[in-house]
Amino acid sequence: MKRFVGLALVSSVVLVGSTAVALAAGDAVKGGKVFNKCKACHSLEAGKNKVGPSLRGIVGRQAGTVEGYKYSKINQAAGNAGLVWTEEAILDYLPDPNAFLKKHLTDNGKGDQAKGRTKMTFKLKKEQDRVDVIEFLKTQTN
């Protein structure tokens, strides 16, 4: 009987955990609207850079690697230190890009390279907006 109760409890936790993940999922349509704030500086067209690099295929890409875009030194250093634009990294980057890059470099033993500033001055503070825009960016693949 104890074994059955334990199994039922584990199943309940897994089910609740799945629901929490589903609730945290972004809305790509809403994210497309949020992306309108980004359009002034970023393109979704591969190879078309503006003030910022093209964001086509950003999710899963190593930081600082869009061909033809001149990155700030801190962004290049973060990419060289292994920063990959995962969903979690983008979520943490958008509210304060400079702080994120400096923390990434410090956490990876490259604190001496955590100087300067990224070109990205925009900050996306609302978590739901960030989650939604990430969901939208996931649809913009190569």
Side-chain angles (χ1 to χ4, degrees):
M1 183 65 161
K2 283 183 181 180
R3 185 180 239 170
F4 176 75
V5 171
L7 183 59
L9 181 60
V10 168
S11 297
S12 297
V13 170
V14 169
L15 182 58
V16 170
S18 301
T19 304
V21 170
L23 292 176
D27 181 321
V29 173
K30 288 180 182 176
K33 292 176 183 170
V34 173
F35 186 77
N36 285 329
K37 297 176 183 180
C38 311
K39 281 182 177 179
C41 297
H42 294 282
S43 165
L44 290 172
E45 186 179 326
K48 183 178 180 186
N49 299 316
K50 293 181 166 185
V51 173
S54 169
L55 296 182
R56 185 82 175 177
I58 183 84
V59 180
R61 182 170 70 209
Q62 182 175 349
T65 60
V66 169
E67 193 172 320
Y69 184 75
K70 184 163 174 45
Y71 287 93
S72 64
K73 288 181 181 180
I74 193 169
N75 200 300
Q76 289 175 1
N80 290 337
L83 177 60
V84 173
W85 292 122
T86 62
E87 293 174 48
E88 181 180 78
I90 296 169
L91 186 71
D92 292 344
Y93 173 82
L94 289 173
D96 192 341
N98 279 305
F100 174 84
L101 293 175
K102 288 177 182 188
K103 182 178 182 328
H104 175 79
L105 287 165
T106 300
D107 290 351
N108 287 283
K110 304 285 183 177
D112 60 320
Q113 296 176 34
K115 297 177 180 93
R117 301 187 61 74
T118 178
K119 294 177 185 179
M120 184 153 155
T121 58
F122 179 76
K123 297 178 179 184
L124 192 56
K125 295 286 188 179
K126 292 182 183 174
E127 183 172 357
Q128 190 59 53
D129 284 351
R130 298 191 321 264
V131 169
D132 290 341
V133 81
I134 291 166
E135 196 65 31
F136 171 73
L137 289 171
K138 286 170 37 182
T139 69
Q140 304 301 308
T141 60
N142 291 337

